[in-house]
Amino acid sequence: MTISAPRRSSPRAVVVLLAFCLCTAAAAATPRSDAAAPIPDTLQQRVLACTSCHGAHGEGSLDSLSGPRLAGKPAGYLLQQLEYFQSGQRRHAPMEYVVRQLSPVYLRQIAGYFAGQDVPYRKLPVPAVSQEILRRGEQLALHGDPGRAVPSCASCHGARLTGFEPMMPGLLGLSYDYLDKQLVSWRAHTRAAEGPYCMGVVANRMRESDIAAVSAWLASRPPPADMHPQPAGAQTEPLPGWCVMGSSGATL
Amino acid sequence: MKRLRRGWWVPVLLAMVVAGWLVIRPAGPLPVSSEQRAAQAAALRDPALIERGEYLAAVGDCAACHTVRGGQPYAGGRSLATPFGDVPAPNITPDPDTGIGQWSFEDFWRALHEGKGRQGELLYPVFSYTSFTKVTRDDALAIFAYLKSLPPVNRPDLPSGLAFPYNVRSGLVAWRALYFQPGVFRPDASKSDEWNRGAYLVQGLGHCNECHTERDSLGGLKKDQHLTGGRIPALAWYAPDLSTQSGGGLEGWRAQDIVDLLKTGQSAKGTAFGPMADVVRLSTQHMTDADLQAVATYLQSLPPRASPASTAPFMRAASAEQGGTLYAKHCADCHGKDGNGVAGIYPPLNGNITVTEPTGINAVRSVLLGGFAPTTAANPRPYSMPPFAQQLRDADVAALVTYIRQSWSNRAGAVQPGDVARYRHTPVD
């Protein structure tokens, strides 16, 4: 038998070719052992370990404690927190375990994925506290407590409280439980940053009742129309001299 | 019962303390003349030697223990949990005051080969000199050259967390008499070079035995067992049997499956997770294909094992139904109704030793913790598994894991809700 170049394509050859193409196309999507839908090659699919608590788009869990909202947070901030969970500067056992095996490059991609999600805010339950407590919370958030050298939230997190790119997180759209727990964690050093770190200093100057009050007021705020962090250039008020953001991840 | 077994040897140990003090008094650093020191320092600066040492240090996974989380590599400080107390790993950067800056190669060799510190003191065997003693002098020299080339980090060593009687170093005379035999690996002339290379790596620098063999109540490796699997003390994970032959933990694994797992973190038979994911990420992914192939060749020569007689109870029908429902809801999308997973993405559960190892610890903790396969050069963006600790109650996890352990070809014992409750609160680090 000799091999000669085909002179014209026979109908059978077309069928074979077509079948081959179909098979190749089918093989390109990863075959499943039991004919279920193929596994998509997307970051969203790859990070199921994140989204099972934080939501497919980082919209946060319903209680916002087991999985706070990640969507739209500044990418640098998200990356920094992932790194802190890896290094143990921020403690939460489930998060520490999940991020353990990830490379710096992959962490950056994951931070970018959640920072880039633009999904509506969930309505969170308003904490059942008195008007007096809410007023105290508002006072602290917008004006601070000069007597205890506690700056206002707005002085660093922005007048809209939605944070700044690339490192300053927003404070709205988070639950009372989550906010309160974070401030307590800053005091207990289960949440830390490369020092000197301002949030730890501020949290340690606050009364416990004030931590609860400011968390309650922040959690009860209706989200503003534009929840995006403001651009870096919008931060006109300088941070206090003793307040140094951790350098880790700031180069994003 | 356990206390009785632990207790009997304390008087024996005390006697050995006295004897040990007489036999092995700390003698100080080994004498090295200034000429020798200068010649050695020059030899250690050979870039080729340093590069080989870097590779060997990765094979030995030295950084995993000698680096605290978030700390400088090799600067020590990680607290290594043992059943006898925590032992902090020392700083092995060449800092003259807090590291090995003043060590000569003879000091280093004595540590690696004989398990003795620079002052001649007996080292705790959490430093795996029971394996490292098999490392050749040439390889030890390369590792030493690499460590000496690192930037020195000033980080004083932490005090040991061992309590009496374990904090009495001379008590180790007894332990060493029972469990430690110094000696460089001797090749078996009847076996191939590849087999010998694999045996050298597995038994020596790779120190696989230190986790993959059961330890007795004194923390020694059982002499008649080699890579037959065991609980990792104080970590609450199970390191499985590594035989690929009949009855082995890796029964049916081809050499390529072993190479794949060590190189990429994944294989057709299972995915590395828990402490093994660390080993792959930090160590084995950096090994050459030839060395990985040698490891696979050696592991494939491990003998068949007697099939374990399962004494663990099998599940009740009600719990089987509950487990099946939970499996269909939470697991089948990724691991398949047939438990065969998705090639290259999600591991099979059918015939996976992670699922079927004797204790059930690994399956329970994997369900609770979820997580990512290790990031490797070959798999830079691994897929992941959700943690179910937040979603499932103890009884649900027990039913689900038992279902997985007893479905398809799996015939492993049931796990109980009490086991799940215990592992739910095991520290992750």
Side-chain angles (χ1 to χ4, degrees):
Chain A
M1 186 181 164
T2 58
I3 300 169
S4 57
R7 269 160 293 189
R8 60 182 173 86
S9 54
S10 67
R12 187 191 286 179
V14 172
V15 171
V16 169
L17 192 69
L18 199 63
F20 174 77
C21 288
L22 285 173
C23 289
T24 318
T30 308
R32 299 293 306 276
S33 48
D34 48 4
I39 302 295
D41 180 7
T42 59
L43 204 52
Q44 185 182 332
Q45 179 70 29
R46 288 172 188 269
V47 299
L48 277 184
C50 313
T51 55
S52 63
C53 290
H54 293 280
H57 300 280
E59 62 272 24
S61 65
L62 285 171
D63 61 3
S64 191
L65 182 61
S66 57
R69 181 183 171 95
L70 305 177
K73 284 192 180 172
Y77 168 76
L78 290 178
L79 176 61
Q80 188 185 51
Q81 297 309 307
L82 290 169
E83 289 172 346
Y84 284 167
F85 281 124
Q86 251 182 2
S87 68
Q89 281 165 287
R90 186 169 174 182
R91 307 309 297 257
H92 182 56
M95 276 302 303
E96 291 174 65
Y97 184 83
V98 161
V99 301
R100 191 179 168 96
Q101 300 304 335
L102 305 179
S103 69
V105 173
Y106 199 19
L107 283 184
R108 189 167 293 239
Q109 291 172 353
I110 293 171
Y113 169 77
F114 287 110
Q117 300 300 308
D118 207 355
V119 287
Y121 270 73
R122 286 179 191 280
K123 184 139 178 55
L124 292 165
V126 176
V129 296
S130 69
Q131 284 303 314
E132 191 188 343
I133 290 176
L134 286 178
R135 272 195 299 276
R136 174 67 184 158
E138 179 176 16
Q139 170 72 22
L140 285 161
L142 301 182
H143 307 290
D145 183 348
R148 299 177 81 94
V150 173
S152 68
C153 303
S155 64
C156 294
H157 293 271
R160 282 161 42 187
L161 297 170
T162 55
F164 293 98
E165 296 288 356
M167 299 302 294
M168 184 65 74
L171 302 178
L172 301 179
L174 297 164
S175 72
Y176 167 77
D177 286 334
Y178 178 75
L179 289 163
D180 183 75
K181 194 176 170 194
Q182 299 317 303
L183 284 166
V184 171
S185 297
W186 279 108
R187 285 159 70 112
H189 299 285
T190 51
R191 186 166 175 174
E194 277 158 36
Y197 45 91
C198 35
M199 228 22 260
V201 175
V202 172
N204 274 298
R205 288 178 183 172
M206 293 173 75
R207 288 193 201 97
E208 275 182 43
S209 60
D210 282 350
I211 285 180
V214 77
S215 303
W217 184 78
L218 288 169
S220 64
R221 297 300 295 156
D226 183 3
M227 283 292 292
H228 294 94
Q230 294 179 264
Q235 192 158 14
T236 51
E237 193 165 344
L239 298 175
W242 45 265
C243 177
V244 178
M245 292 288 286
S247 60
S248 170
T251 53
L252 193 98
Chain B
M1 185 62 203
K2 203 161 204 177
R3 185 169 296 173
L4 259 181
R5 260 195 299 163
R6 283 258 166 94
W8 70 263
W9 69 288
V10 171
V12 179
L13 177 126
L14 288 173
M16 297 305 272
V17 167
V18 179
W21 177 251
L22 295 173
V23 176
I24 305 192
R25 268 170 287 190
L30 293 169
V32 182
S33 74
S34 56
E35 294 81 32
Q36 277 175 309
R37 195 172 282 276
Q40 195 179 81
L44 289 173
R45 283 195 290 270
D46 173 9
L49 187 69
I50 291 171
E51 193 183 338
R52 200 162 71 84
E54 181 175 13
Y55 175 74
L56 293 167
V59 173
D61 206 5
C62 312
C65 287
H66 288 281
T67 309
V68 73
R69 246 176 96 189
Q72 298 266 13
Y74 298 101
R78 178 173 172 194
S79 194
L80 304 167
T82 80
F84 312 101
D86 291 355
V87 184
N91 181 349
I92 55 170
T93 69
D95 183 68
D97 302 321
T98 61
I100 60 166
Q102 295 185 41
W103 288 48
S104 68
F105 174 62
E106 289 309 320
D107 296 330
F108 182 73
W109 173 251
R110 186 165 65 169
L112 207 64
H113 188 70
E114 294 177 43
K116 292 181 187 170
R118 184 157 185 260
Q119 304 302 325
E121 76 276 21
L122 302 182
L123 297 177
Y124 295 113
V126 64
F127 171 55
S128 304
Y129 55 81
T130 38
S131 296
F132 299 145
T133 189
K134 293 182 185 252
V135 173
T136 63
R137 227 178 134 84
D138 281 355
D139 282 355
L141 183 68
I143 295 169
F144 187 61
Y146 170 65
L147 294 176
K148 283 282 196 179
S149 78
L150 294 170
V153 178
N154 190 282
R155 187 187 205 288
D157 288 338
L158 302 169
S160 139
L162 294 176
F164 186 80
Y166 309 113
N167 59 349
V168 181
R169 282 191 188 261
S170 41
L172 288 165
V173 171
W175 193 92
R176 291 161 67 105
L178 287 170
Y179 301 109
F180 177 49
Q181 206 164 17
V184 169
F185 176 79
R186 278 195 304 243
D188 180 342
S190 71
K191 299 288 201 328
S192 69
D193 287 351
E194 187 176 61
W195 183 94
N196 275 303
R197 175 69 179 165
Y200 171 70
L201 291 170
V202 169
Q203 296 174 15
L205 205 48
H207 63 292
C208 309
N209 238 341
E210 303 288 334
C211 286
H212 286 276
T213 299
E214 189 82 45
R215 286 176 188 272
D216 63 18
S217 56
L218 300 186
L221 299 170
K222 293 180 179 171
K223 269 206 177 117
D224 53 340
Q225 293 176 19
H226 180 57
L227 302 172
T228 49
R231 283 170 199 263
I232 307 177
L235 278 191
W237 288 101
Y238 190 88
D241 174 56
L242 295 183
S243 166
T244 59
Q245 301 195 37
S246 163
L250 306 186
E251 184 175 351
W253 283 54
R254 301 162 305 144
Q256 190 59 45
D257 297 323
I258 296 172
V259 171
D260 286 348
L261 185 109
L262 297 175
K263 183 101 195 158
T264 72
Q266 306 192 120
S267 78
K269 301 288 188 178
T271 294
F273 63 93
M276 194 62 203
D278 293 340
V279 172
V280 170
R281 178 169 49 87
L282 296 169
S283 172
T284 60
Q285 69 152 322
H286 303 292
M287 291 171 70
T288 62
D289 290 348
D291 275 350
L292 290 173
Q293 196 65 45
V295 167
T297 299
Y298 172 67
L299 291 182
Q300 291 219 306
S301 77
L302 293 175
R305 315 290 195 201
S307 288
S310 180
T311 50
F314 275 69
M315 61 184 158
R316 288 169 291 116
S319 130
E321 196 185 325
Q322 184 192 1
T325 308
L326 288 164
Y327 184 84
K329 183 175 174 198
H330 295 294
C331 317
D333 276 355
C334 294
H335 294 288
K337 289 193 198 84
D338 54 7
N340 287 334
V342 181
I345 299 181
Y346 295 121
L349 304 180
N350 181 15
N352 185 336
I353 185 65
T354 298
V355 172
T356 57
E357 52 82 13
T359 64
I361 294 174
N362 291 354
V364 167
R365 296 198 70 195
S366 294
V367 168
L368 290 173
L369 293 166
F372 286 81
T375 309
T376 57
N379 188 21
R381 299 189 306 152
Y383 285 82
S384 63
M385 164 159 161
F388 288 96
Q390 290 84 349
Q391 294 184 45
L392 298 179
R393 297 170 305 131
D394 294 344
D396 290 338
V397 175
L400 175 59
V401 169
T402 300
Y403 173 84
I404 295 168
R405 279 165 67 81
Q406 298 180 1
S407 293
W408 319 296
S409 70
N410 297 343
R411 296 289 175 268
V415 300
Q416 306 302 327
D419 301 330
V420 180
R422 179 147 31 104
Y423 298 126
R424 200 182 270 280
H425 302 291
T426 306
V428 294
D429 190 49

